[in-house]
């Protein structure tokens, strides 16, 4: 029987290599990438059946990368494997289109269960967060969605925000994105206006609050 094709995205190479032995028993590991941009490019090229991704990755965080991935390739299942024991991250992950959310310190069997569930069209969340996520969804003010503030920003603006939050200068971000420094500055101030922020420091606090780093 043909093994499902799996793409792994984690910027901690030792973690990724440690997972290789676990995953290759049941899946064809088609690649390991270390940032959100590489995840999008590689998934588009290799078309895996399932992606296992970290939340915190450079250049483009996992949640934003998956949001973009699912817009283009709805059929690719996604499971997050992360250290973030935070219900807000889990809510954002599922809102972005993920099918699973597992913690890195959980048992390996939990990750395998989550991947299997995702490939069958079902969702899986670590039991440590399941009840909390249910309460979070119930108690959220009506009309408020996870990542609602982020949704005000364009895809390019979120990319610019992450690069600046990582400490890149406007010029460095411009080179990486293939646009002019003037355009990066335009996106930066457009974000501040859209979010009602008055300074670069407030923009950085917004990035940290929403896990963009």
């Amino acid at each position: 029987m043909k093994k499902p094709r799996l793409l792994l995205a984690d910027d901690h190479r030792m973690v990724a290599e440690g997972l290789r032995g676990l995953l290759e028993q049941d899946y064809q590991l088609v690649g390991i990438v270390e940032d959100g941009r590489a995840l999008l490019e590689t998934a588009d090229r290799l078309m895996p059946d399932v992606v296992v991704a970290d939340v915190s990755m450079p250049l483009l965080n996992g949640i934003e990368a998956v949001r973009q991935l699912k817009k283009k390739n709805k059929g690719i299942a996604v499971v997050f494997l992360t250290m973030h024991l935070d219900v807000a991250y889990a809510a954002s992950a599922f809102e972005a289109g993920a099918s699973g959310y597992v913690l890195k310190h959980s048992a390996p069997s939990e990750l395998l269960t989550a991947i299997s569930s995702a490939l069958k069209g079902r969702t899986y969340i670590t039991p440590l967060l399941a009840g909390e996520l249910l309460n979070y969804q119930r108690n959220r003010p009506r009309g408020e969605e996870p990542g609602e503030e982020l949704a005000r920003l364009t895809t390019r603006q979120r990319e610019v925000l992450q690069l600046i939050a990582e400490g890149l200068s406007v010029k460095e971000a411009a080179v990486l994105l293939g646009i002019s420094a003037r355009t990066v500055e335009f996106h930066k101030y457009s974000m501040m206006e859209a979010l009602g922020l008055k300074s670069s420091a407030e923009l950085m606090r917004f990035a940290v609050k929403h896990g963009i780093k």
Side-chain angles (χ1 to χ4, degrees), residues 160 164 170 183-192 200 203:
V160 168
I164 293 174
V170 167
T183 301
V184 172
E185 288 283 7
F186 171 77
H187 285 308
K188 180 180 173 182
Y189 289 107
S190 294
M191 282 188 280
M192 289 166 60
S200 295
L203 187 61

Side-chain angles (χ1 to χ4, degrees), residues 40-103:
L40 290 175
E41 292 165 4
T42 307
D44 199 40
R45 178 165 48 86
L46 298 180
M47 292 301 293
D49 299 302
V50 60
V51 168
V52 174
D54 197 356
V55 169
S56 296
M57 291 191 292
L59 304 185
L60 197 64
N61 68 79
I63 290 174
E64 180 59 31
V66 167
R67 186 177 283 113
Q68 293 186 33
L69 172 71
K70 295 295 281 189
K71 282 181 181 177
K72 194 172 184 181
N73 301 296
K74 288 185 172 62
I76 298 178
V78 178
V79 172
F80 277 106
L81 179 65
T82 178
M83 293 178 66
H84 290 293
L85 182 59
D86 187 324
V87 69
Y89 280 103
S92 293
F94 285 111
E95 180 266 336
S99 296
Y101 194 91
V102 179
L103 299 176

